[in-house]
Amino acid sequence: LFFLQNSMFKMEGDVSCTTDQYPNTVVGVVGASRSVVSMALATLCGICNIAQVSYASTSADLSNRDRYPYFFRTVPSDSYQALVVMDVMRYMDWSYISIVYEDSTYGTNLFQALSESIDEDDGFCIHSVHVIASDEEDMDVSDYQDEVTKLYEAENVNVVVLFLVVQEVISLFSAITDLNYDNDRFIWLGVDAWAGNSDLEQSYPEILDGAIAIGQFDIIVDDFEVYFNELKPETNTRDSWFIEYWETYFNCKLDYSEIQDYNANFTESCDNTSSVFPDNYGDFDPFCPFMMDAVNVFAYALRELLADKCNDTDTLGFCDGAKEVMGTDFVTYIENVQFEASSGQQFSFPPDNNDGPALYSIMSFKNGDGWLTIGSYENTTHFNDSLVIYNGASYPTSQCSEDCEDGQIRLYKDSCCWQCLECAINEYVANETQCVPCPAGQLPATGASTCEDIYVEYLRPDDITGIVAISVSAVGCLLTLTVMV
């Protein structure tokens, strides 16, 4: 963070750094990834008037422009994710859920946003809430096992919402394995912190089977994938981390690289003809396109700023007028950037808003097939009905009580749980909680939702039933007369 120190010195006018290592003019920072880090950095950047653009921090708190006037991001706020989670619940008719969230800003905001979206009047309820400490030192194996035991004790809850980071989900699933609980007891519903994660897929495919997660919009940037796949250690010398990445990826050592902790045990020599992704290009971090967009925000803003400061749109560069770029001036250019994003759509920041566009992929994990995209969110939620399947059939329901049969009413325990009671033989179901007697001369119709007149059938002389009845009556009369005589 020397650039921040230098910026503060420059603001005070006491010291100016002129070395190549710490340039005198820093106009922006790309990052960070986790929201808690971005918040700390945004506070410092605000003090130093330095613009910051994050590619992965999604906490709703970061939308506060008064608190973070120099912070921007190319991803949407978590508040949208909670809305999509609610849309999934409605689509699946999952009205009775449990929630597990970490007690960080990320988890707490998501939990609060979903809680506010859940309308008990619509029949959606939270059975139980479980909080995971975000500090690993405060959660050990037994703590995770206790939370898992509580989850499995809940009756009729088949869906659990996880507002957790990947490592916490791994610890939770590990506890399920350690306790030998059923792998298919729950459908897990989650968000981008663990959506599409390969570690979960490889370690716990049976537990994860059927899980649905809201992830960042599935964007494939073909040109970048081709470019990245063609990189080699000999040609990509500007990236000081690429050698370590290459050796770690292929589990080998380059002849000219130094021996360090990460490669000390690599015995094979690297083949310089290898490609980073020899089989396919599907191994990129899902936030990679948003990193590109974050860089483009600065690139397009700088282009416009330099054009204004240097009065030359053909040969842009750091002229004298642009050497002392003030953050307050530069933020205005960032607020007005417009360009084609990695998604192919036009990117711009909404008025009085520092968030990226709300674009999400809705993914489902199928054991053996991996993560599949079953829907998306672009202002509204869309599902591909043909792909929304679980073990070859529909997803299981998650509701506290089963629907009552015809002629039954609900005796509510709370807004989501009830007991079914039979109405009397002469009563109809006036509403879901009330049986009402039918008027005189009427009985409940089929379905018991209304009453109908009792049908009266009179005997006719030519009817076989009438003939038999009259005959029996006549015989009875004759016998009575005979006895009397």
Side-chain angles (χ1 to χ4, degrees), residues 93-354:
D93 196 22
W94 291 336
S95 60
Y96 201 51
I97 63 168
S98 291
I99 299 177
V100 185
Y101 74 94
E102 69 164 21
D103 64 348
S104 65
T105 301
Y106 175 79
T108 301
N109 285 345
L110 278 167
F111 167 68
Q112 291 177 345
L114 181 60
S115 299
E116 293 170 359
S117 299
I118 289 179
D119 187 352
E120 292 194 3
D121 291 337
D122 275 347
F124 289 90
C125 296
I126 300 173
H127 171 270
S128 60
V129 177
H130 309 263
V131 183
I132 301 296
S134 57
D135 189 340
E136 294 182 1
E137 295 181 358
D138 295 333
M139 289 291 294
D140 57 24
V141 173
S142 61
D143 293 324
Y144 278 101
Q145 291 179 347
D146 289 343
E147 297 302 328
V148 165
T149 299
K150 294 175 185 176
L151 284 173
Y152 275 78
E153 288 175 348
E155 295 183 2
N156 300 326
V157 178
N158 296 325
V159 174
V160 178
V161 178
L162 299 180
F163 293 145
L164 304 173
V165 298
V166 171
Q167 188 53 52
E168 292 163 346
V169 179
I170 290 175
S171 298
L172 195 73
F173 287 0
S174 176
I176 293 174
T177 302
D178 293 341
L179 295 172
N180 292 319
Y181 282 134
D182 293 338
N183 290 336
D184 58 355
R185 171 68 171 81
F186 295 112
I187 300 297
W188 309 98
L189 177 57
V191 286
D192 61 355
W194 57 271
N197 184 266
S198 58
D199 290 337
L200 283 173
E201 177 181 350
Q202 295 168 8
S203 302
Y204 302 100
E206 293 84 6
I207 299 177
L208 196 62
D209 190 31
I212 293 178
I214 316 303
Q216 295 302 324
F217 200 67
D218 189 15
I219 301 172
I220 298 176
V221 186
D222 294 326
D223 290 343
F224 178 77
E225 292 183 342
V226 172
Y227 158 79
F228 192 81
N229 199 48
E230 292 176 348
L231 292 176
K232 299 291 187 293
E234 291 79 9
T235 56
N236 188 29
T237 56
R238 66 172 183 161
D239 188 345
S240 58
W241 291 284
F242 192 73
I243 289 178
E244 179 178 347
Y245 175 81
W246 185 276
E247 291 181 328
T248 302
Y249 188 88
F250 290 109
N251 197 28
C252 64
K253 185 180 180 306
L254 292 163
D255 296 336
Y256 50 83
S257 68
E258 296 180 2
I259 296 179
Q260 301 183 49
D261 291 340
Y262 77 87
N263 65 3
N265 296 323
F266 294 164
T267 57
E268 295 187 11
S269 180
C270 291
D271 179 4
N272 294 342
T273 63
S274 300
S275 296
V276 179
F277 301 116
D279 298 324
N280 59 72
Y281 294 161
D283 225 5
F284 283 102
D285 188 299
F287 286 99
C288 188
F290 302 98
M291 296 181 198
M292 301 180 202
D293 292 339
V295 173
N296 274 328
V297 167
F298 281 115
Y300 280 90
L302 279 171
R303 186 182 71 173
E304 296 302 316
L305 181 145
L306 294 176
D308 289 347
K309 296 290 184 179
C310 299
N311 298 318
D312 187 353
T313 58
D314 295 326
T315 57
L316 298 178
F318 269 86
C319 61
D320 291 339
K323 288 182 179 178
E324 297 296 329
V325 179
M326 295 301 294
T328 50
D329 294 333
F330 189 46
V331 164
T332 302
Y333 288 92
I334 291 179
E335 290 174 341
N336 293 292
V337 294
Q338 292 186 8
F339 60 91
E340 184 178 311
S342 300
S343 64
Q345 301 182 3
Q346 281 297 115
F347 182 95
S348 62
F349 291 108
D352 302 322
N353 196 315
N354 58 357

